[in-house]
Amino acid sequence: MKYILGIFLTFIFFPFNILASEKFSIDGNILIYDTENVQNEDPGIVWDDADTLATMLLENKNIKILQLNSGGGEIDPAFYMSDIIIDYGLDTNVIGSCESACTTLLLAGEKRTVQKGSWVGFHQSSWDAESMKSWYLYYKEDDGWEDEFAFAEWLYTDTQVYIFKNFQYLLERNVNPLFAIETMKAKSDDMWYPRRKELLAANVITE
């Protein structure tokens, strides 16, 4: 949280213009975040979106609701954005779909709603072999990995840390513990779409 507040202060005292993002638009007191209908940007949740979200909220004090339509993306910027959403006390609303890492943003809302006909999807996270190889080759000297087995040892621990962080966040947002466990049941190439009554019963959505 100190890191986030530090960035906020940087924006205040050293303002700069972030290029307009296709993913964000404003309608009254609603900030719309749609990662799916873009032509000139990477689809999905990425770090640049976190910077844009912070700047737009600083520049538009009347924003009360974050409207979501996203198939997910990178989990680390999603957690960072969730801290911003919580800090501003925004409500969240899904119109379209909110899948994978997007659910982290949905759960950050004070009041959490899903328009009828929209979907919320959960699954396990994934890390494809090619990007894992690139990560290993890039960081092996800095992190002291002598070989792939040393990297695997680190990865085993890091995976458990991530799973704990995810469960901790779900419980912090008052999601039913049994439901929190169920969010991990669908594999990364699949998706679990709970019905509305399940989302309400588990306190994923609040009304």
Side-chain angles (χ1 to χ4, degrees), residues 94-127:
V94 176
I95 298 182
S97 66
C98 183
E99 301 168 331
S100 189
C102 176
T103 60
T104 302
L105 307 185
L106 169 63
L107 285 165
E110 288 288 319
K111 182 172 73 174
R112 306 185 287 266
T113 53
V114 176
Q115 186 183 63
K116 288 188 176 180
S118 298
W119 297 93
V120 177
F122 298 89
H123 68 177
Q124 299 171 6
S125 60
S126 64
W127 193 1

PDB file of all heavy atoms in Angstrom, residues 94-127:
ATOM      1  N   VAL A  94     -20.296  -5.803 -13.753  1.00  0.00           N
ATOM      2  CA  VAL A  94     -19.916  -6.523 -14.965  1.00  0.00           C
ATOM      3  C   VAL A  94     -21.021  -6.391 -16.005  1.00  0.00           C
ATOM      4  O   VAL A  94     -22.184  -6.697 -15.730  1.00  0.00           O
ATOM      5  CB  VAL A  94     -19.663  -8.018 -14.671  1.00  0.00           C
ATOM      6  CG1 VAL A  94     -19.358  -8.770 -15.966  1.00  0.00           C
ATOM      7  CG2 VAL A  94     -18.525  -8.185 -13.676  1.00  0.00           C
ATOM      8  N   ILE A  95     -20.639  -5.934 -17.181  1.00  0.00           N
ATOM      9  CA  ILE A  95     -21.535  -5.947 -18.334  1.00  0.00           C
ATOM     10  C   ILE A  95     -20.773  -6.611 -19.467  1.00  0.00           C
ATOM     11  O   ILE A  95     -19.845  -6.030 -20.030  1.00  0.00           O
ATOM     12  CB  ILE A  95     -21.988  -4.536 -18.745  1.00  0.00           C
ATOM     13  CG1 ILE A  95     -22.783  -3.879 -17.609  1.00  0.00           C
ATOM     14  CG2 ILE A  95     -22.836  -4.589 -20.009  1.00  0.00           C
ATOM     15  CD1 ILE A  95     -23.318  -2.498 -17.940  1.00  0.00           C
ATOM     16  N   GLY A  96     -21.143  -7.857 -19.756  1.00  0.00           N
ATOM     17  CA  GLY A  96     -20.415  -8.655 -20.735  1.00  0.00           C
ATOM     18  C   GLY A  96     -19.896  -9.901 -20.050  1.00  0.00           C
ATOM     19  O   GLY A  96     -20.642 -10.822 -19.742  1.00  0.00           O
ATOM     20  N   SER A  97     -18.606  -9.911 -19.744  1.00  0.00           N
ATOM     21  CA  SER A  97     -18.019 -11.023 -19.007  1.00  0.00           C
ATOM     22  C   SER A  97     -16.859 -10.528 -18.161  1.00  0.00           C
ATOM     23  O   SER A  97     -16.251  -9.501 -18.462  1.00  0.00           O
ATOM     24  CB  SER A  97     -17.550 -12.134 -19.957  1.00  0.00           C
ATOM     25  OG  SER A  97     -16.469 -11.678 -20.754  1.00  0.00           O
ATOM     26  N   CYS A  98     -16.574 -11.280 -17.118  1.00  0.00           N
ATOM     27  CA  CYS A  98     -15.423 -10.995 -16.254  1.00  0.00           C
ATOM     28  C   CYS A  98     -14.832 -12.344 -15.894  1.00  0.00           C
ATOM     29  O   CYS A  98     -15.389 -13.083 -15.077  1.00  0.00           O
ATOM     30  CB  CYS A  98     -15.872 -10.233 -15.017  1.00  0.00           C
ATOM     31  SG  CYS A  98     -14.510  -9.757 -13.906  1.00  0.00           S
ATOM     32  N   GLU A  99     -13.704 -12.660 -16.518  1.00  0.00           N
ATOM     33  CA  GLU A  99     -13.132 -13.985 -16.391  1.00  0.00           C
ATOM     34  C   GLU A  99     -11.699 -13.904 -15.879  1.00  0.00           C
ATOM     35  O   GLU A  99     -11.013 -12.901 -16.061  1.00  0.00           O
ATOM     36  CB  GLU A  99     -13.143 -14.702 -17.741  1.00  0.00           C
ATOM     37  CG  GLU A  99     -14.524 -14.850 -18.347  1.00  0.00           C
ATOM     38  CD  GLU A  99     -14.482 -15.297 -19.801  1.00  0.00           C
ATOM     39  OE1 GLU A  99     -13.495 -14.972 -20.491  1.00  0.00           O
ATOM     40  OE2 GLU A  99     -15.447 -15.955 -20.241  1.00  0.00           O
ATOM     41  N   SER A 100     -11.258 -15.012 -15.262  1.00  0.00           N
ATOM     42  CA  SER A 100      -9.859 -15.162 -14.863  1.00  0.00           C
ATOM     43  C   SER A 100      -9.422 -13.988 -13.983  1.00  0.00           C
ATOM     44  O   SER A 100     -10.062 -13.699 -12.977  1.00  0.00           O
ATOM     45  CB  SER A 100      -8.998 -15.293 -16.122  1.00  0.00           C
ATOM     46  OG  SER A 100      -7.673 -15.652 -15.815  1.00  0.00           O
ATOM     47  N   ALA A 101      -8.356 -13.294 -14.329  1.00  0.00           N
ATOM     48  CA  ALA A 101      -7.823 -12.210 -13.492  1.00  0.00           C
ATOM     49  C   ALA A 101      -8.798 -11.057 -13.315  1.00  0.00           C
ATOM     50  O   ALA A 101      -8.675 -10.286 -12.353  1.00  0.00           O
ATOM     51  CB  ALA A 101      -6.508 -11.695 -14.086  1.00  0.00           C
ATOM     52  N   CYS A 102      -9.766 -10.937 -14.193  1.00  0.00           N
ATOM     53  CA  CYS A 102     -10.771  -9.872 -14.046  1.00  0.00           C
ATOM     54  C   CYS A 102     -11.577 -10.037 -12.766  1.00  0.00           C
ATOM     55  O   CYS A 102     -12.037  -9.048 -12.189  1.00  0.00           O
ATOM     56  CB  CYS A 102     -11.699  -9.849 -15.259  1.00  0.00           C
ATOM     57  SG  CYS A 102     -13.047  -8.644 -15.139  1.00  0.00           S
ATOM     58  N   THR A 103     -11.759 -11.279 -12.307  1.00  0.00           N
ATOM     59  CA  THR A 103     -12.531 -11.491 -11.083  1.00  0.00           C
ATOM     60  C   THR A 103     -11.859 -10.827  -9.885  1.00  0.00           C
ATOM     61  O   THR A 103     -12.529 -10.462  -8.918  1.00  0.00           O
ATOM     62  CB  THR A 103     -12.733 -12.986 -10.809  1.00  0.00           C
ATOM     63  OG1 THR A 103     -11.460 -13.634 -10.656  1.00  0.00           O
ATOM     64  CG2 THR A 103     -13.495 -13.643 -11.953  1.00  0.00           C
ATOM     65  N   THR A 104     -10.542 -10.664  -9.939  1.00  0.00           N
ATOM     66  CA  THR A 104      -9.832  -9.955  -8.882  1.00  0.00           C
ATOM     67  C   THR A 104     -10.299  -8.504  -8.813  1.00  0.00           C
ATOM     68  O   THR A 104     -10.457  -7.933  -7.728  1.00  0.00           O
ATOM     69  CB  THR A 104      -8.313 -10.011  -9.131  1.00  0.00           C
ATOM     70  OG1 THR A 104      -7.900 -11.381  -9.188  1.00  0.00           O
ATOM     71  CG2 THR A 104      -7.539  -9.305  -8.022  1.00  0.00           C
ATOM     72  N   LEU A 105     -10.547  -7.898  -9.972  1.00  0.00           N
ATOM     73  CA  LEU A 105     -11.045  -6.523 -10.020  1.00  0.00           C
ATOM     74  C   LEU A 105     -12.490  -6.451  -9.531  1.00  0.00           C
ATOM     75  O   LEU A 105     -12.852  -5.547  -8.774  1.00  0.00           O
ATOM     76  CB  LEU A 105     -10.962  -5.981 -11.448  1.00  0.00           C
ATOM     77  CG  LEU A 105      -9.609  -6.071 -12.153  1.00  0.00           C
ATOM     78  CD1 LEU A 105      -9.685  -5.380 -13.514  1.00  0.00           C
ATOM     79  CD2 LEU A 105      -8.505  -5.463 -11.310  1.00  0.00           C
ATOM     80  N   LEU A 106     -13.312  -7.395  -9.965  1.00  0.00           N
ATOM     81  CA  LEU A 106     -14.710  -7.426  -9.532  1.00  0.00           C
ATOM     82  C   LEU A 106     -14.805  -7.477  -8.018  1.00  0.00           C
ATOM     83  O   LEU A 106     -15.572  -6.733  -7.398  1.00  0.00           O
ATOM     84  CB  LEU A 106     -15.412  -8.640 -10.148  1.00  0.00           C
ATOM     85  CG  LEU A 106     -16.806  -8.981  -9.597  1.00  0.00           C
ATOM     86  CD1 LEU A 106     -17.792  -7.853  -9.859  1.00  0.00           C
ATOM     87  CD2 LEU A 106     -17.319 -10.285 -10.201  1.00  0.00           C
ATOM     88  N   LEU A 107     -14.007  -8.342  -7.400  1.00  0.00           N
ATOM     89  CA  LEU A 107     -14.083  -8.536  -5.955  1.00  0.00           C
ATOM     90  C   LEU A 107     -13.564  -7.336  -5.164  1.00  0.00           C
ATOM     91  O   LEU A 107     -13.816  -7.227  -3.967  1.00  0.00           O
ATOM     92  CB  LEU A 107     -13.301  -9.788  -5.564  1.00  0.00           C
ATOM     93  CG  LEU A 107     -13.993 -11.101  -5.912  1.00  0.00           C
ATOM     94  CD1 LEU A 107     -13.017 -12.261  -5.839  1.00  0.00           C
ATOM     95  CD2 LEU A 107     -15.178 -11.333  -4.986  1.00  0.00           C
ATOM     96  N   ALA A 108     -12.854  -6.432  -5.816  1.00  0.00           N
ATOM     97  CA  ALA A 108     -12.358  -5.246  -5.130  1.00  0.00           C
ATOM     98  C   ALA A 108     -13.469  -4.233  -4.862  1.00  0.00           C
ATOM     99  O   ALA A 108     -13.292  -3.317  -4.051  1.00  0.00           O
ATOM    100  CB  ALA A 108     -11.251  -4.586  -5.952  1.00  0.00           C
ATOM    101  N   GLY A 109     -14.611  -4.383  -5.516  1.00  0.00           N
ATOM    102  CA  GLY A 109     -15.686  -3.416  -5.370  1.00  0.00           C
ATOM    103  C   GLY A 109     -16.357  -3.460  -4.009  1.00  0.00           C
ATOM    104  O   GLY A 109     -16.475  -4.516  -3.390  1.00  0.00           O
ATOM    105  N   GLU A 110     -16.819  -2.291  -3.549  1.00  0.00           N
ATOM    106  CA  GLU A 110     -17.616  -2.236  -2.327  1.00  0.00           C
ATOM    107  C   GLU A 110     -18.947  -2.938  -2.570  1.00  0.00           C
ATOM    108  O   GLU A 110     -19.324  -3.843  -1.843  1.00  0.00           O
ATOM    109  CB  GLU A 110     -17.844  -0.772  -1.919  1.00  0.00           C
ATOM    110  CG  GLU A 110     -16.627  -0.077  -1.365  1.00  0.00           C
ATOM    111  CD  GLU A 110     -16.262  -0.568   0.030  1.00  0.00           C
ATOM    112  OE1 GLU A 110     -17.180  -0.769   0.852  1.00  0.00           O
ATOM    113  OE2 GLU A 110     -15.072  -0.782   0.277  1.00  0.00           O
ATOM    114  N   LYS A 111     -19.666  -2.470  -3.578  1.00  0.00           N
ATOM    115  CA  LYS A 111     -20.873  -3.144  -4.043  1.00  0.00           C
ATOM    116  C   LYS A 111     -20.525  -3.809  -5.365  1.00  0.00           C
ATOM    117  O   LYS A 111     -19.976  -3.165  -6.263  1.00  0.00           O
ATOM    118  CB  LYS A 111     -22.018  -2.139  -4.221  1.00  0.00           C
ATOM    119  CG  LYS A 111     -23.327  -2.776  -4.663  1.00  0.00           C
ATOM    120  CD  LYS A 111     -24.479  -1.780  -4.626  1.00  0.00           C
ATOM    121  CE  LYS A 111     -24.366  -0.782  -5.768  1.00  0.00           C
ATOM    122  NZ  LYS A 111     -25.544   0.118  -5.844  1.00  0.00           N
ATOM    123  N   ARG A 112     -20.851  -5.086  -5.496  1.00  0.00           N
ATOM    124  CA  ARG A 112     -20.438  -5.859  -6.666  1.00  0.00           C
ATOM    125  C   ARG A 112     -21.675  -6.426  -7.349  1.00  0.00           C
ATOM    126  O   ARG A 112     -22.439  -7.185  -6.737  1.00  0.00           O
ATOM    127  CB  ARG A 112     -19.484  -6.981  -6.242  1.00  0.00           C
ATOM    128  CG  ARG A 112     -18.297  -6.475  -5.442  1.00  0.00           C
ATOM    129  CD  ARG A 112     -17.301  -7.560  -5.125  1.00  0.00           C
ATOM    130  NE  ARG A 112     -17.739  -8.501  -4.108  1.00  0.00           N
ATOM    131  CZ  ARG A 112     -17.449  -8.390  -2.809  1.00  0.00           C
ATOM    132  NH1 ARG A 112     -16.768  -7.344  -2.371  1.00  0.00           N
ATOM    133  NH2 ARG A 112     -17.847  -9.307  -1.946  1.00  0.00           N
ATOM    134  N   THR A 113     -21.855  -6.067  -8.614  1.00  0.00           N
ATOM    135  CA  THR A 113     -23.045  -6.493  -9.345  1.00  0.00           C
ATOM    136  C   THR A 113     -22.666  -7.037 -10.717  1.00  0.00           C
ATOM    137  O   THR A 113     -21.604  -6.719 -11.255  1.00  0.00           O
ATOM    138  CB  THR A 113     -24.040  -5.324  -9.520  1.00  0.00           C
ATOM    139  OG1 THR A 113     -23.355  -4.205 -10.116  1.00  0.00           O
ATOM    140  CG2 THR A 113     -24.618  -4.889  -8.181  1.00  0.00           C
ATOM    141  N   VAL A 114     -23.538  -7.857 -11.258  1.00  0.00           N
ATOM    142  CA  VAL A 114     -23.372  -8.423 -12.591  1.00  0.00           C
ATOM    143  C   VAL A 114     -24.692  -8.262 -13.331  1.00  0.00           C
ATOM    144  O   VAL A 114     -25.737  -8.755 -12.876  1.00  0.00           O
ATOM    145  CB  VAL A 114     -22.987  -9.922 -12.526  1.00  0.00           C
ATOM    146  CG1 VAL A 114     -22.907 -10.509 -13.926  1.00  0.00           C
ATOM    147  CG2 VAL A 114     -21.670 -10.110 -11.792  1.00  0.00           C
ATOM    148  N   GLN A 115     -24.664  -7.554 -14.443  1.00  0.00           N
ATOM    149  CA  GLN A 115     -25.876  -7.362 -15.236  1.00  0.00           C
ATOM    150  C   GLN A 115     -26.397  -8.709 -15.718  1.00  0.00           C
ATOM    151  O   GLN A 115     -25.622  -9.602 -16.075  1.00  0.00           O
ATOM    152  CB  GLN A 115     -25.587  -6.456 -16.436  1.00  0.00           C
ATOM    153  CG  GLN A 115     -26.828  -6.092 -17.236  1.00  0.00           C
ATOM    154  CD  GLN A 115     -26.478  -5.269 -18.453  1.00  0.00           C
ATOM    155  OE1 GLN A 115     -25.773  -5.734 -19.334  1.00  0.00           O
ATOM    156  NE2 GLN A 115     -26.946  -4.034 -18.487  1.00  0.00           N
ATOM    157  N   LYS A 116     -27.708  -8.869 -15.734  1.00  0.00           N
ATOM    158  CA  LYS A 116     -28.297 -10.123 -16.205  1.00  0.00           C
ATOM    159  C   LYS A 116     -27.864 -10.402 -17.641  1.00  0.00           C
ATOM    160  O   LYS A 116     -27.832  -9.498 -18.477  1.00  0.00           O
ATOM    161  CB  LYS A 116     -29.812 -10.070 -16.098  1.00  0.00           C
ATOM    162  CG  LYS A 116     -30.309 -10.140 -14.650  1.00  0.00           C
ATOM    163  CD  LYS A 116     -31.821 -10.270 -14.569  1.00  0.00           C
ATOM    164  CE  LYS A 116     -32.264 -10.425 -13.119  1.00  0.00           C
ATOM    165  NZ  LYS A 116     -33.729 -10.564 -13.001  1.00  0.00           N
ATOM    166  N   GLY A 117     -27.508 -11.653 -17.895  1.00  0.00           N
ATOM    167  CA  GLY A 117     -26.990 -12.035 -19.207  1.00  0.00           C
ATOM    168  C   GLY A 117     -25.482 -11.962 -19.297  1.00  0.00           C
ATOM    169  O   GLY A 117     -24.900 -12.358 -20.303  1.00  0.00           O
ATOM    170  N   SER A 118     -24.830 -11.450 -18.235  1.00  0.00           N
ATOM    171  CA  SER A 118     -23.367 -11.381 -18.194  1.00  0.00           C
ATOM    172  C   SER A 118     -22.821 -12.573 -17.411  1.00  0.00           C
ATOM    173  O   SER A 118     -23.560 -13.274 -16.720  1.00  0.00           O
ATOM    174  CB  SER A 118     -22.911 -10.068 -17.549  1.00  0.00           C
ATOM    175  OG  SER A 118     -23.355  -8.954 -18.313  1.00  0.00           O
ATOM    176  N   TRP A 119     -21.492 -12.774 -17.487  1.00  0.00           N
ATOM    177  CA  TRP A 119     -20.887 -13.969 -16.924  1.00  0.00           C
ATOM    178  C   TRP A 119     -19.656 -13.651 -16.108  1.00  0.00           C
ATOM    179  O   TRP A 119     -18.911 -12.727 -16.422  1.00  0.00           O
ATOM    180  CB  TRP A 119     -20.502 -14.950 -18.041  1.00  0.00           C
ATOM    181  CG  TRP A 119     -21.676 -15.442 -18.824  1.00  0.00           C
ATOM    182  CD1 TRP A 119     -22.179 -14.902 -19.985  1.00  0.00           C
ATOM    183  CD2 TRP A 119     -22.521 -16.538 -18.501  1.00  0.00           C
ATOM    184  NE1 TRP A 119     -23.273 -15.611 -20.392  1.00  0.00           N
ATOM    185  CE2 TRP A 119     -23.509 -16.626 -19.507  1.00  0.00           C
ATOM    186  CE3 TRP A 119     -22.534 -17.478 -17.459  1.00  0.00           C
ATOM    187  CZ2 TRP A 119     -24.504 -17.596 -19.504  1.00  0.00           C
ATOM    188  CZ3 TRP A 119     -23.522 -18.444 -17.452  1.00  0.00           C
ATOM    189  CH2 TRP A 119     -24.489 -18.495 -18.462  1.00  0.00           C
ATOM    190  N   VAL A 120     -19.450 -14.464 -15.069  1.00  0.00           N
ATOM    191  CA  VAL A 120     -18.241 -14.398 -14.252  1.00  0.00           C
ATOM    192  C   VAL A 120     -17.587 -15.772 -14.283  1.00  0.00           C
ATOM    193  O   VAL A 120     -18.244 -16.785 -13.984  1.00  0.00           O
ATOM    194  CB  VAL A 120     -18.558 -13.995 -12.797  1.00  0.00           C
ATOM    195  CG1 VAL A 120     -17.290 -14.008 -11.950  1.00  0.00           C
ATOM    196  CG2 VAL A 120     -19.221 -12.627 -12.758  1.00  0.00           C
ATOM    197  N   GLY A 121     -16.314 -15.832 -14.674  1.00  0.00           N
ATOM    198  CA  GLY A 121     -15.648 -17.118 -14.854  1.00  0.00           C
ATOM    199  C   GLY A 121     -14.364 -17.240 -14.062  1.00  0.00           C
ATOM    200  O   GLY A 121     -13.556 -16.301 -13.992  1.00  0.00           O
ATOM    201  N   PHE A 122     -14.157 -18.420 -13.474  1.00  0.00           N
ATOM    202  CA  PHE A 122     -12.962 -18.696 -12.669  1.00  0.00           C
ATOM    203  C   PHE A 122     -12.211 -19.897 -13.238  1.00  0.00           C
ATOM    204  O   PHE A 122     -12.817 -20.844 -13.747  1.00  0.00           O
ATOM    205  CB  PHE A 122     -13.355 -19.029 -11.218  1.00  0.00           C
ATOM    206  CG  PHE A 122     -14.060 -17.922 -10.499  1.00  0.00           C
ATOM    207  CD1 PHE A 122     -15.444 -17.810 -10.562  1.00  0.00           C
ATOM    208  CD2 PHE A 122     -13.350 -17.005  -9.750  1.00  0.00           C
ATOM    209  CE1 PHE A 122     -16.106 -16.791  -9.882  1.00  0.00           C
ATOM    210  CE2 PHE A 122     -14.002 -15.987  -9.059  1.00  0.00           C
ATOM    211  CZ  PHE A 122     -15.385 -15.877  -9.130  1.00  0.00           C
ATOM    212  N   HIS A 123     -10.893 -19.867 -13.130  1.00  0.00           N
ATOM    213  CA  HIS A 123     -10.078 -21.041 -13.448  1.00  0.00           C
ATOM    214  C   HIS A 123      -8.702 -20.910 -12.811  1.00  0.00           C
ATOM    215  O   HIS A 123      -8.362 -19.877 -12.236  1.00  0.00           O
ATOM    216  CB  HIS A 123      -9.981 -21.268 -14.963  1.00  0.00           C
ATOM    217  CG  HIS A 123      -9.198 -20.222 -15.709  1.00  0.00           C
ATOM    218  ND1 HIS A 123      -8.962 -20.294 -17.047  1.00  0.00           N
ATOM    219  CD2 HIS A 123      -8.599 -19.068 -15.303  1.00  0.00           C
ATOM    220  CE1 HIS A 123      -8.265 -19.253 -17.447  1.00  0.00           C
ATOM    221  NE2 HIS A 123      -8.022 -18.497 -16.406  1.00  0.00           N
ATOM    222  N   GLN A 124      -7.929 -21.984 -12.898  1.00  0.00           N
ATOM    223  CA  GLN A 124      -6.568 -21.962 -12.386  1.00  0.00           C
ATOM    224  C   GLN A 124      -5.715 -21.027 -13.247  1.00  0.00           C
ATOM    225  O   GLN A 124      -5.979 -20.842 -14.429  1.00  0.00           O
ATOM    226  CB  GLN A 124      -5.965 -23.364 -12.424  1.00  0.00           C
ATOM    227  CG  GLN A 124      -6.701 -24.397 -11.591  1.00  0.00           C
ATOM    228  CD  GLN A 124      -6.187 -25.798 -11.837  1.00  0.00           C
ATOM    229  OE1 GLN A 124      -5.195 -25.997 -12.552  1.00  0.00           O
ATOM    230  NE2 GLN A 124      -6.862 -26.791 -11.268  1.00  0.00           N
ATOM    231  N   SER A 125      -4.698 -20.448 -12.643  1.00  0.00           N
ATOM    232  CA  SER A 125      -3.761 -19.638 -13.417  1.00  0.00           C
ATOM    233  C   SER A 125      -2.820 -20.556 -14.187  1.00  0.00           C
ATOM    234  O   SER A 125      -2.762 -21.764 -13.941  1.00  0.00           O
ATOM    235  CB  SER A 125      -2.965 -18.715 -12.496  1.00  0.00           C
ATOM    236  OG  SER A 125      -2.238 -19.473 -11.551  1.00  0.00           O
ATOM    237  N   SER A 126      -2.092 -19.979 -15.123  1.00  0.00           N
ATOM    238  CA  SER A 126      -1.185 -20.790 -15.939  1.00  0.00           C
ATOM    239  C   SER A 126       0.076 -19.999 -16.262  1.00  0.00           C
ATOM    240  O   SER A 126       0.096 -18.768 -16.167  1.00  0.00           O
ATOM    241  CB  SER A 126      -1.866 -21.231 -17.235  1.00  0.00           C
ATOM    242  OG  SER A 126      -2.184 -20.105 -18.037  1.00  0.00           O
ATOM    243  N   TRP A 127       1.106 -20.724 -16.655  1.00  0.00           N
ATOM    244  CA  TRP A 127       2.367 -20.129 -17.093  1.00  0.00           C
ATOM    245  C   TRP A 127       2.900 -21.034 -18.194  1.00  0.00           C
ATOM    246  O   TRP A 127       3.328 -22.146 -17.913  1.00  0.00           O
ATOM    247  CB  TRP A 127       3.339 -20.020 -15.931  1.00  0.00           C
ATOM    248  CG  TRP A 127       4.543 -19.156 -16.209  1.00  0.00           C
ATOM    249  CD1 TRP A 127       4.819 -18.471 -17.355  1.00  0.00           C
ATOM    250  CD2 TRP A 127       5.625 -18.886 -15.313  1.00  0.00           C
ATOM    251  NE1 TRP A 127       5.991 -17.784 -17.240  1.00  0.00           N
ATOM    252  CE2 TRP A 127       6.516 -18.023 -15.988  1.00  0.00           C
ATOM    253  CE3 TRP A 127       5.925 -19.276 -14.010  1.00  0.00           C
ATOM    254  CZ2 TRP A 127       7.691 -17.555 -15.406  1.00  0.00           C
ATOM    255  CZ3 TRP A 127       7.091 -18.807 -13.432  1.00  0.00           C
ATOM    256  CH2 TRP A 127       7.966 -17.954 -14.127  1.00  0.00           C
TER     257      TRP A 127
END
